[in-house]
Amino acid sequence: MYQWRKFEFFEEKYGAKCAIPDAEDDVVEKKIECCSSGRGKVVTGFHDGVVSFFDRGLKFNYAFQPHSSSVLFLQQLKQRNILVTIGEDEQLTPQQSALCLKVFDLDKMQPESSSTTSPDCVGILRIFTNQFPEAKITSFWVLEEVPPILLIAIGLDNGSIYCIKGDIARERITRFKLQVENNHSAKTLSAVTGLGFRVDGQSLQLFAVTPSSVSLFSLHQQPPRRQTLDQIGCGVNSVAMSDRFELIIGRPEAVYFYEVDGRGPCWAFEGEKKLLGWFRGYLLCVIADQRTGKHTFNIYDLKNRLIAHSASVKEVSHMLFEWGNIILIMNDKSALCIGEKDMESKLDMLFKKNLYTVAINLVQTQQADAAATAEVLRKYGDHLYSKQDYDEAMAQYILTIGHLEPSYVIQKFLDAQRIYNLTNYLEKLHEKGLASKDHTTLLLNCYTKLKDVEKLNLFIKSDDSIGELKFDIETAIRVCRAANYHEHAMYVAKKAGRHEWYLKILLEDLGNYEEALEYISRLESSQAGMTIKEYGKILIEHKPMETIQILIRLCTEDGDKRGQSNGVYMSMLPSPVDFLSIFIHHPQSLMDFLEKYTNKVKDSPAQVEIHNTLLELYISNELNFPSMVQANDSENYLNGVSAKTMALSAQSNGKIADHKSSEQDKDKRHEKGLYLLKSAWPPETEHPLYDVDLAIILCEMNAFKDGLLYLYEKMKLYKEVIACYMQAHDHEGLIACCKRLGDSVKGGDPSLWADLLKYFGELGEDCSKEVKEVLTYIERDDILPPIIVLQTLSRNPCLSLSVIKDYIARKLERESKMIEEDRQAIEKYQEDTLAMRKEIQDLRTNARIFQLSKCTACTFTLDLPAVHFMCMHSFHLRCLGDNEKECPECAPEYRSVLEMKRNLEQNSKDQDRFFQQVKGSKDGFSVIAEYFGKGIISKISNGSSSGPRTGMASSISGF
């Protein structure tokens, strides 16, 4: 105890002038028998049976007399405003004890009309009965269970404990007895000097102390089980309970703590313990010095092993706790109120004495907030730093992580001589996950400056560092790269799944293309695709074949995964079009990639784009291959040819060889291009699997005649086809093309022969053979009139009349024959017309004699009534029925003529059809003549002409 430091963490309140005042009407000074506190009141019981209540500052409030003689024990309950007292009343009979227990409800006062102010007594109970014989009460304690249930323990001088449990106000109680000691020969030593309840969940236990023992009763068991914890005890007022439900007893040699399993820690505080108490984690002792007889009041902080307060006091009779203070009531009724200083005052006191370790322990034991603890640690660290004890200072600063701004500490240790301390701080900062990118950068720079590879490995390659993200990944990679710790940077990138950083180091820093490709091949499809898009140009330049293999795997996934829904799965895979940009300087590799893809996948969603790209590669006249040129140059260099003439010769030979090779390559590519043009446009489809306009432009730009001819012919642009032959002056191919494309029977365009004849007519050279062959097909299909043929061929001065002599002769003969046939037809039509006009005139001017004797319909003898028609048909009236206006025999033919005329009139209004017939006919004039001959085209309205009413009937009535 003498080694413990003393501090003044407590101070006296109210100017140290407090006292227990007497009531105004008191004449004789009264002795305090018992005290209690709670709910903002201090309660005292006097020897004359009066109970007084005091407010803050021990100001008298009111008093009342619960017992007539004296108040021995009382307790103010905490949960309810209830006062329980034990005192002496008037003895009614000699057999009954004068002691009784009363319960007062302090919230219920007697009516104002009463002469005194006293609370309502809700229950009175006789303590001693026949079953519970009377003895001297030495201790008393009340436990509040679930309201209104109370558990009252009364300790007696005979070693017994009377327990009363229940609702005393309703007289619903149970009594039971506990026996601590049975040694009747030593009664004076068996009194129960202290009691204490311990509640832990459903467990309820009672400590009982005598001068010779410490016992524990388990009240939750029936019957209650007794357990002896120790064979030593203590006297009255030397018993207390801690806030952790530990029993505390004070003996002259020490203070002992007891738990349910026996004696606990012991504190050797010498001196007779007059009073014991427990307040907010502090042990309170009033100790009497046996040599001087003086009393000392000490407040012990057991956790920090210090005396928080020490003062000489008079003889203390009672110790109470209320209003956050400790109240000591002396035998002379004076009082001392002691209150704890605030934390800031206590810390200031310690800081002034540089007792930082005590301050730290104090804030930790009193459960101060983390910010207050960190502030104490910071001040301690600053103190150590000022003493140049950097290691210990850093140890304190590390404890402030999470509350103190890291920059405050880092600035103090930026000196190169203190880099070890700074490294330690930054490591702890990362362990707690509170490091920023700048902190990571600084820590890694510390490692690299110290060249501490072991710590760098521990920081980078620890199993849990990356999983819990204890540092910024990109910062770590960037710093390690800058310091040439590529292995560590790659480890972090790989562990964190930052594939782009891993590949950047492999390709840009190390140039390890094989490992980069192997790493990409192990990634998932989406991640591998993203990395190849970013670094594909470098990989294609150095490892084209391996890169193409990875791309094929990405875009096809080889096989069985494509399964049943091929089209749907292919739409989910990366498209080759997405990777075209990486081949921008390597067209040959691009062509190889796309060829392998198209050979493997026949129904890609990007077929059109792929075919467009392949056509551009195939049809282009030139492809540059820088790698091949460099290879040739290096090979020539290694040959060691030193003579200048030999070098020039070799160079020229190399150029010739390269030219031949490029020509062969060009022809090969053109063959592939033509095959692709044909295979990607199946006959059964209307549109090809490539952009036709783009294909035509490519063929024209690169003078790819075969492809151009195929496209024109496929698109039925026959005139453009023969234009290509004309431009090449390929007469044989031109005529063969017209034979194939100019046959109207096969869907061709016969007008091609007219264009061909025009071409030869404007050629300006002798082409008699070709003209004769062209005239044969023109004559066969009657494509052009002879006059047009003559006019066309007359423009070529190199052609003689003999070329078309036979053609003209045959044409004249044929047309003469046609003229003769037309003249005969005209004469026939004229004769028929004259006969019709004569018949019409006869109908108008002469009478008709009807000589038929039989009905045309029924062939029976004609009798009256009868109907005769001008067409010389006769009918019974009954045979005609309702139709008696026209002849049944001639009416169908007449109606067909009318219908034909009506159709012709309607056709005359359809101008589009007329012009379409004129345009589609070989001889448009014949179509116009036909319209005139049918009377469709006429200036005279058809409605103006008048004619006979055919089928006009005359009815002859009977006589």
Side-chain angles (χ1 to χ4, degrees):
M1 181 182 71
Y2 297 106
Q3 297 177 355
W4 286 22
R5 293 178 176 177
K6 292 184 179 181
F7 298 95
E8 290 300 323
F9 290 162
F10 287 78
E11 60 185 355
E12 295 181 359
K13 301 289 185 179
Y14 310 116
K17 295 180 180 179
C18 295
I20 301 296
D22 294 325
E24 297 177 357
D25 55 351
D26 288 341
V27 178
V28 182
E29 186 177 349
K30 297 184 295 185
K31 179 184 176 183
I32 299 176
E33 292 288 342
C34 53
C35 290
S36 182
S37 64
R39 301 180 70 88
K41 305 283 186 188
V42 170
V43 188
T44 59
F46 296 93
H47 72 287
D48 60 353
V50 176
V51 172
S52 298
F53 291 85
F54 302 91
D55 293 330
R56 183 183 291 271
L58 296 179
K59 294 179 180 180
F60 178 79
N61 189 339
Y62 71 94
F64 76 101
Q65 188 165 3
H67 300 278
S68 60
S69 179
S70 67
V71 180
L72 300 179
F73 298 92
L74 60 80
Q75 184 173 337
Q76 170 71 50
L77 303 185
K78 307 295 184 184
Q79 297 182 18
R80 294 181 295 159
N81 198 9
I82 298 293
L83 179 66
V84 181
T85 65
I86 294 179
E88 294 182 359
D89 285 319
E90 294 180 358
Q91 191 171 6
L92 300 178
T93 61
Q95 291 79 14
Q96 288 185 342
S97 173
L99 293 178
C100 65
L101 183 146
K102 295 183 179 182
V103 179
F104 297 91
D105 188 349
L106 302 182
D107 290 332
K108 297 179 181 180
M109 306 300 289
Q110 289 185 357
E112 296 180 358
S113 60
S114 301
S115 59
T116 59
T117 302
S118 62
D120 188 10
C121 180
V122 296
I124 300 176
L125 189 66
R126 293 292 176 181
I127 298 174
F128 302 111
T129 63
N130 295 331
Q131 295 180 351
F132 297 91
E134 183 176 358
K136 182 181 179 181
I137 300 176
T138 55
S139 59
F140 167 74
W141 196 253
V142 180
L143 173 67
E144 297 179 82
E145 292 191 353
V146 180
I149 304 300
L150 299 179
L151 177 57
I152 302 172
I154 302 172
L156 306 176
D157 62 348
N158 59 7
S160 300
I161 301 173
Y162 290 171
C163 294
I164 302 171
K165 183 177 181 180
D167 186 358
I168 298 176
R170 298 183 180 180
E171 298 183 356
R172 297 176 181 176
I173 60 173
T174 57
R175 298 171 182 258
F176 57 92
K177 176 182 177 182
L178 302 174
Q179 189 65 42
V180 178
E181 294 181 356
N182 296 320
N183 187 4
H184 299 288
S185 64
K187 263 185 186 177
T188 57
L189 300 177
S190 63
V192 179
T193 56
L195 296 170
F197 285 104
R198 185 181 189 276
V199 181
D200 185 9
Q202 299 296 326
S203 174
L204 175 60
Q205 294 164 317
L206 174 65
F207 288 102
V209 181
T210 67
S212 61
S213 68
V214 177
S215 302
L216 177 68
F217 292 92
S218 298
L219 302 182
H220 57 279
Q221 298 179 355
Q222 293 299 329
R225 184 173 63 87
R226 176 177 172 270
Q227 176 185 357
T228 302
L229 300 180
D230 205 346
Q231 296 298 330
I232 61 172
C234 67
V236 181
N237 295 331
S238 297
V239 180
M241 291 292 294
S242 73
D243 51 9
R244 293 182 298 178
F245 298 106
E246 297 171 310
L247 178 69
I248 308 170
I249 66 173
R251 294 181 61 82
E253 73 277 5
V255 175
Y256 299 91
F257 283 74
Y258 291 89
E259 296 182 0
V260 293
D261 53 353
R263 182 192 294 180
C266 168
W267 302 93
F269 303 140
E270 294 182 357
E272 183 182 358
K273 313 303 185 294
K274 293 293 185 179
L275 278 173
L276 279 185
W278 187 267
F279 176 73
R280 294 182 179 177
Y282 293 101
L283 174 64
L284 313 181
C285 291
V286 177
I287 301 176
D289 190 342
Q290 296 177 354
R291 291 172 297 178
T292 63
K294 294 182 179 180
H295 290 190
T296 304
F297 174 63
N298 290 335
I299 302 177
Y300 298 99
D301 186 348
L302 301 180
K303 291 183 180 178
N304 297 313
R305 293 178 179 270
L306 57 87
I307 300 176
H309 181 74
S310 180
S312 296
V313 294
K314 303 175 184 179
E315 290 188 12
V316 181
S317 61
H318 300 90
M319 184 186 299
L320 303 174
F321 314 106
E322 192 63 33
W323 313 307
N325 298 327
I326 304 169
I327 304 171
L328 301 179
I329 299 177
M330 314 302 175
N331 286 340
D332 60 359
K333 298 175 62 177
S334 64
L336 182 64
C337 292
I338 301 174
E340 187 177 7
K341 295 180 180 180
D342 58 82
M343 179 63 71
E344 185 177 358
S345 300
K346 291 189 286 186
L347 293 177
D348 288 340
M349 184 189 308
L350 295 174
F351 292 154
K352 289 177 182 179
K353 298 179 180 181
N354 292 330
L355 298 175
Y356 292 97
T357 54
V358 178
I360 292 170
N361 294 331
L362 183 65
V363 295
Q364 289 177 347
T365 54
Q366 295 198 359
Q367 298 179 351
D369 60 346
T373 305
E375 180 63 19
V376 175
L377 293 169
R378 180 193 67 79
K379 289 185 177 182
Y380 187 30
D382 292 345
H383 172 70
L384 294 172
Y385 186 87
S386 64
K387 290 185 174 183
Q388 297 184 352
D389 189 356
Y390 301 118
D391 294 339
E392 286 298 323
M394 180 54 71
Q396 304 307 316
Y397 287 135
I398 288 174
L399 296 176
T400 65
I401 291 176
H403 303 283
L404 181 62
E405 178 61 35
S407 59
Y408 178 84
V409 181
I410 293 172
Q411 287 177 353
K412 291 178 176 291
F413 291 86
L414 283 178
D415 191 353
Q417 297 177 354
R418 296 188 283 275
I419 190 172
Y420 293 97
N421 300 118
L422 179 60
T423 303
N424 187 21
Y425 180 79
L426 292 172
E427 287 174 349
K428 299 298 182 181
L429 204 62
H430 281 80
E431 286 179 6
K432 295 187 178 182
L434 299 174
S436 65
K437 295 180 180 179
D438 296 332
H439 299 149
T440 302
T441 304
L442 186 58
L443 177 59
L444 293 175
N445 285 329
C446 290
Y447 286 149
T448 54
K449 287 184 181 296
L450 294 172
K451 299 188 181 302
D452 193 343
V453 180
E454 183 178 354
K455 277 196 172 183
L456 184 61
N457 289 336
L458 185 63
F459 179 75
I460 294 295
K461 298 183 178 182
S462 59
D463 294 335
D464 60 342
S465 62
I466 297 179
E468 297 180 4
L469 297 175
K470 291 186 177 178
F471 57 83
D472 184 73
I473 303 301
E474 293 189 6
T475 302
I477 296 173
R478 186 175 63 253
V479 175
C480 290
R481 284 187 71 194
N484 291 326
Y485 286 91
H486 298 118
E487 180 184 354
H488 297 81
M490 289 170 59
Y491 179 86
V492 174
K494 185 175 183 180
K495 197 76 178 287
R498 301 295 178 89
H499 312 298
E500 67 279 3
W501 281 102
Y502 189 87
L503 293 172
K504 187 187 288 289
I505 299 169
L506 276 178
L507 297 174
E508 297 179 3
D509 298 339
L510 303 178
N512 194 342
Y513 307 107
E514 293 85 355
E515 185 177 350
L517 287 169
E518 184 180 355
Y519 182 80
I520 292 174
S521 64
R522 294 196 299 266
L523 297 177
E524 296 181 358
S525 297
S526 59
Q527 295 175 341
M530 293 174 61
T531 53
I532 289 185
K533 287 178 185 178
E534 187 171 356
Y535 302 105
K537 293 180 182 179
I538 301 176
L539 295 172
I540 284 293
E541 182 178 357
H542 295 88
K543 296 291 179 180
M545 298 303 297
E546 293 84 351
T547 307
I548 290 175
Q549 290 178 359
I550 292 178
L551 286 174
I552 291 296
R553 182 179 62 82
L554 281 178
C555 297
T556 60
E557 281 299 330
D558 287 335
D560 49 6
K561 285 187 181 180
R562 297 169 60 199
Q564 54 256 10
S565 57
N566 190 18
V568 175
Y569 181 75
M570 291 304 298
S571 64
M572 298 170 59
L573 291 175
S575 172
V577 180
D578 300 336
F579 305 102
L580 296 183
S581 59
I582 69 175
F583 296 94
I584 189 166
H585 298 300
H586 305 278
Q588 182 66 46
S589 299
L590 175 60
M591 187 165 62
D592 295 342
F593 167 55
L594 294 179
E595 285 177 348
K596 290 180 180 179
Y597 178 81
T598 53
N599 291 336
K600 204 164 192 178
V601 179
K602 302 300 182 182
D603 54 353
S604 172
Q607 267 186 328
V608 175
E609 292 82 356
I610 295 172
H611 289 163
N612 290 341
T613 307
L614 279 175
L615 286 175
E616 188 172 356
L617 294 170
Y618 289 153
I619 299 174
S620 298
N621 288 328
E622 295 183 1
L623 281 179
N624 296 321
F625 305 105
S627 58
M628 292 178 61
V629 175
Q630 293 173 4
N632 291 334
D633 292 344
S634 61
E635 185 178 355
N636 292 335
Y637 176 77
L638 293 174
N639 287 334
V641 180
S642 58
K644 186 175 182 180
T645 55
M646 293 179 65
L648 293 173
S649 175
Q651 187 176 2
S652 62
N653 291 336
K655 288 183 178 180
I656 294 173
D658 290 343
H659 179 69
K660 290 182 179 179
S661 176
S662 63
E663 286 296 326
Q664 292 176 357
D665 179 72
K666 174 185 172 182
D667 294 340
K668 191 174 181 180
R669 285 189 289 106
H670 281 188
E671 290 178 4
K672 292 181 179 180
L674 184 60
Y675 175 77
L676 179 59
L677 288 174
K678 293 180 180 180
S679 62
W681 197 339
E684 64 274 5
T685 60
E686 182 179 357
H687 300 288
L689 298 176
Y690 51 82
D691 190 343
V692 179
D693 296 333
L694 176 63
I696 291 175
I697 293 173
L698 291 173
C699 292
E700 289 181 348
M701 289 176 59
N702 296 279
F704 184 35
K705 178 183 174 183
D706 294 340
L708 201 60
L709 291 175
Y710 173 78
L711 291 172
Y712 283 153
E713 184 174 344
K714 194 70 176 177
M715 297 171 67
K716 300 188 182 302
L717 300 175
Y718 301 141
K719 294 185 182 296
E720 281 75 5
V721 176
I722 64 174
C724 293
Y725 286 104
M726 291 176 183
Q727 188 176 0
H729 294 282
D730 185 3
H731 296 171
E732 184 177 354
L734 186 59
I735 293 175
C737 178
C738 286
K739 288 181 181 178
R740 189 176 71 256
L741 304 178
D743 191 354
S744 60
V745 178
K746 298 180 180 180
D749 184 5
S751 64
L752 296 178
W753 293 107
D755 296 335
L756 185 55
L757 185 67
K758 181 180 180 183
Y759 165 73
F760 286 127
E762 298 174 351
L763 188 58
E765 62 182 45
D766 188 8
C767 51
S768 302
K769 180 181 178 182
E770 290 84 355
V771 171
K772 287 182 179 180
E773 188 172 359
V774 171
L775 289 176
T776 302
Y777 290 98
I778 290 177
E779 181 183 2
R780 185 192 68 181
D781 295 336
D782 196 13
I783 296 171
L784 291 175
I787 185 63
I788 302 298
V789 173
L790 286 173
Q791 291 175 352
T792 302
L793 295 178
S794 63
R795 299 169 187 166
N796 191 344
C798 299
L799 295 177
S800 61
L801 187 60
S802 60
V803 176
I804 61 172
K805 182 177 68 175
D806 295 338
Y807 167 73
I808 294 297
R810 290 193 299 273
K811 268 293 185 181
L812 291 175
E813 181 180 358
R814 186 178 300 109
E815 290 189 359
S816 298
K817 185 176 180 182
M818 290 175 60
I819 291 171
E820 180 62 25
E821 291 176 355
D822 291 341
R823 186 184 61 78
Q824 292 177 1
I826 289 171
E827 291 179 353
K828 182 177 180 300
Y829 291 150
Q830 287 178 347
E831 292 176 358
D832 293 341
T833 302
L834 290 174
M836 289 180 185
R837 288 178 178 174
K838 185 177 180 182
E839 184 179 358
I840 292 171
Q841 183 65 27
D842 186 35
L843 287 173
R844 287 178 177 176
T845 56
N846 299 326
R848 284 278 180 171
I849 300 173
F850 301 99
Q851 298 179 347
L852 288 178
S853 59
K854 291 184 179 181
C855 176
T856 305
C858 62
T859 68
F860 286 106
T861 302
L862 192 65
D863 54 4
L864 297 179
V867 179
H868 303 280
F869 291 93
M870 301 300 288
C871 57
M872 303 307 293
H873 292 138
S874 301
F875 298 89
H876 291 119
L877 183 60
R878 63 178 179 273
C879 292
L880 288 177
D882 295 334
N883 189 11
E884 59 180 16
K885 298 296 183 182
E886 56 185 14
C887 175
E889 292 290 329
C890 301
E893 183 180 357
Y894 177 62
R895 278 196 292 270
S896 64
V897 173
L898 290 178
E899 185 67 25
M900 186 184 302
K901 185 176 180 181
R902 191 180 302 109
N903 291 338
L904 292 174
E905 290 176 353
Q906 290 179 355
N907 291 338
S908 65
K909 300 176 183 179
D910 191 357
Q911 299 179 6
D912 294 338
R913 181 179 180 185
F914 169 73
F915 287 111
Q916 185 177 0
Q917 290 181 359
V918 172
K919 185 177 180 180
S921 175
K922 297 179 181 179
D923 187 4
F925 183 77
S926 62
V927 176
I928 298 173
E930 182 182 359
Y931 268 71
F932 272 104
K934 292 180 179 179
I936 297 176
I937 301 177
S938 176
K939 292 183 180 180
I940 303 173
S941 176
N942 292 329
S944 61
S945 60
S946 61
R949 291 180 62 188
T950 307
M952 183 182 297
S954 64
S955 177
I956 301 175
S957 302
F959 294 99

